[in-house]
Amino acid sequence: MVRKQFLFFFLTLAIMSIGIIGQYHVLPTNAIFELLVLCTFLFVAKRMCPSAWLVFSCSLLYLIITLALAKARGIHPVDYFIAYKTFFYLALLSFFSSKVLFEEKLLRRFWHILLLLFFVKYVIWIGLGQEGRPGIFTENNYEIMFVLLLGCAIWGFNRSLSLFDWMALGVVTFLSGSRSGVICFLAMFTIFYIKDFGWKTIIKLLVVAIIAAGVAATFISRLSGGDIEAIDRVVFFQGFLKAISGWGWQEYLIGSQTLTAMPESVCTRLQYYQSLFSAGKPGVCYSVILHTYLTRAIFDHGFLGLLFIFLAVNQLLKLSDVSPRARLACISILFLNGASVSSMNSVYAIVGLIIVMTALYPERLKYYGSSSAKSARELNAST
């Protein structure tokens, strides 16, 4: 029953968004999806795969230590939660690994309906000349990441996506105008499409080159006549370089002291993002002001912390019998999205990973029976 309610929430919110003009949604979709993750967690938290305990224990221990340090420094709880949300998510995802919730037939139907709804909303948005990029739940840098991760789950059933699936996914991604989205799509297409080398591979590379040209066109169109300095992510990266200019090797490994404020000059330059400033100290900004997840993670957790996050995701996917190629695609999407926006700090990444982890792939049938039509309720009862 949980599986149907999980997908029902998405479709209901998506259908509601179709008739909303000039904004993404009238409901707080991000908060709703956070609540959906927590409610679903309650149904799968009865037991955990023993091999996932390492990820859970390390994440929980890190949270306990950093929370104590943050409290000792008088850090506002909201600031702490935003900076360390990834490790809360990893602890939750540990309970989803190795579980089964979604059968192929159900998930394929959901995939096709969702792509249709995205296409309709994006076309309406563009056709009516609305300002900004189209969105159905939120800013499309986040929701396109979810759609691509869902595509990885669909690919995992038969080790392929149909021509229609690729075309529909590509059209939706390019209609979004999301730079991170089209780059993630290109990476996903390359990983899944090219399997060996030969004349067929050369043709496939030409197809990839055509898609890459579309990616370049998206970047050029977003510059609006400016140069590279007009790209906000360049400004954020310059702020990051300013913040780490005095770092030693220890900081590069484990990051700055728990919730170290960004330099005043960086906060002043980015003061137009007032909503991203500290919840408890007006005028103070933390790593969230940098937007890009990779720089935020390095600043707060160091390269070791960033490495742990992606290794942990790979391990949890591996425990769920996700194929190596699909794991590579998922991690590539998360990494490339993290070069632009929130990646693993976003609930849209988490709901996408939950679906990827809990889909009933062919490799899992040997544990749960030979019929893919067997109900996910019965399968989940045995986990």
Side-chain angles (χ1 to χ4, degrees):
M1 193 65 182
V2 175
R3 57 194 169 90
K4 293 182 179 179
Q5 293 173 344
F6 190 95
L7 303 182
F8 176 78
F9 265 93
F10 273 93
L11 295 183
T12 300
L13 292 174
I15 292 171
M16 289 176 61
S17 176
I18 297 299
I20 300 173
I21 307 300
Q23 58 181 317
Y24 302 135
H25 216 287
V26 294
L27 297 178
T29 52
N30 293 0
I32 291 174
F33 289 139
E34 296 274 10
L35 182 61
L36 175 62
V37 170
L38 290 176
C39 291
T40 309
F41 163 74
L42 296 177
F43 286 92
V44 302
K46 293 179 292 184
R47 50 187 293 189
M48 183 195 300
C49 172
S51 300
W53 271 102
L54 179 61
V55 173
F56 174 78
S57 301
C58 290
S59 300
L60 184 60
L61 179 62
Y62 187 61
L63 287 171
I64 292 173
I65 294 174
T66 54
L67 181 59
L69 292 173
K71 186 175 181 180
R73 298 184 63 199
I75 301 297
H76 195 282
V78 172
D79 294 330
Y80 172 80
F81 179 73
I82 292 175
Y84 290 83
K85 191 193 296 186
T86 294
F87 293 90
F88 285 99
Y89 283 149
L90 286 176
L92 293 179
L93 286 175
S94 300
F95 286 89
F96 284 94
S97 66
S98 302
K99 304 291 175 65
V100 170
L101 294 178
F102 304 107
E103 300 170 302
E104 179 180 354
K105 183 178 180 180
L106 176 67
L107 207 54
R108 281 190 183 278
R109 187 180 298 118
F110 171 72
W111 158 255
H112 290 140
I113 295 174
L114 197 63
L115 282 178
L116 175 62
L117 293 173
F118 267 82
F119 174 77
V120 171
K121 178 63 181 286
Y122 284 11
V123 168
I124 292 175
W125 186 290
I126 296 172
L128 294 178
Q130 298 296 313
E131 293 185 3
R133 303 196 309 274
I136 198 167
F137 299 125
T138 187
E139 181 184 338
N140 55 36
N141 282 328
Y142 306 100
E143 61 185 25
I144 288 297
M145 171 179 56
F146 164 72
V147 174
L148 293 172
L149 289 173
L150 178 58
C152 292
I154 300 300
W155 181 91
F157 290 123
N158 296 317
R159 296 292 189 274
S160 66
L161 289 176
S162 68
L163 178 61
F164 171 80
D165 287 334
W166 278 120
M167 291 181 64
L169 181 59
V171 167
V172 166
T173 303
F174 281 100
L175 282 175
S176 74
S178 167
R179 293 176 298 203
S180 65
V182 294
I183 291 177
C184 290
F185 174 76
L186 175 61
M188 175 182 171
F189 182 84
T190 303
I191 291 169
F192 286 152
Y193 194 57
I194 298 178
K195 300 178 181 179
D196 47 29
F197 195 83
W199 284 108
K200 290 184 178 179
T201 304
I202 296 176
I203 296 175
K204 292 177 180 180
L205 287 173
L206 290 175
V207 175
V208 171
I210 293 173
I211 296 176
V215 173
T218 301
F219 268 79
I220 293 172
S221 67
R222 290 284 304 283
L223 285 174
S224 302
D227 56 20
I228 194 170
E229 292 291 334
I231 300 178
D232 50 9
R233 269 57 181 179
V234 173
V235 177
F236 301 146
F237 188 68
Q238 290 173 341
F240 169 69
L241 294 179
K242 175 80 173 178
I244 67 171
S245 59
W247 272 17
W249 66 268
Q250 300 96 329
E251 286 88 355
Y252 281 105
L253 286 179
I254 61 175
S256 59
Q257 188 177 1
T258 304
L259 278 180
T260 297
M262 302 295 291
E264 184 178 352
S265 59
V266 175
C267 297
T268 301
R269 187 179 185 186
L270 301 174
Q271 60 185 342
Y272 44 86
Y273 288 107
Q274 280 297 322
S275 62
L276 298 179
F277 275 61
S278 171
K281 300 176 181 178
V284 174
C285 68
Y286 297 107
S287 64
V288 67
I289 202 74
L290 300 175
H291 281 71
T292 57
Y293 179 72
L294 297 183
T295 55
R296 289 167 56 185
I298 292 170
F299 186 82
D300 288 328
H301 317 300
F303 281 97
L304 287 180
L306 183 65
L307 180 63
F308 170 80
I309 291 167
F310 284 100
L311 287 177
V313 171
N314 179 69
Q315 176 64 12
L316 295 177
L317 290 171
K318 186 176 181 180
L319 293 175
S320 298
D321 295 307
V322 179
S323 71
R325 193 180 291 266
R327 296 204 307 270
L328 177 60
C330 288
I331 292 174
S332 297
I333 290 168
L334 293 171
F335 184 87
L336 293 172
N337 182 270
S340 178
V341 284
S342 296
S343 184
M344 281 295 294
N345 238 49
S346 167
V347 69
Y348 294 91
I350 304 312
V351 291
L353 287 174
I354 287 174
I355 292 177
V356 175
M357 287 182 183
T358 58
L360 180 57
Y361 302 115
E363 294 84 355
R364 313 184 81 172
L365 292 176
K366 60 184 178 181
Y367 301 112
Y368 300 112
S370 59
S371 173
S372 63
K374 196 172 183 180
S375 74
R377 178 175 176 274
E378 293 173 343
L379 296 176
N380 197 42
S382 67
T383 58

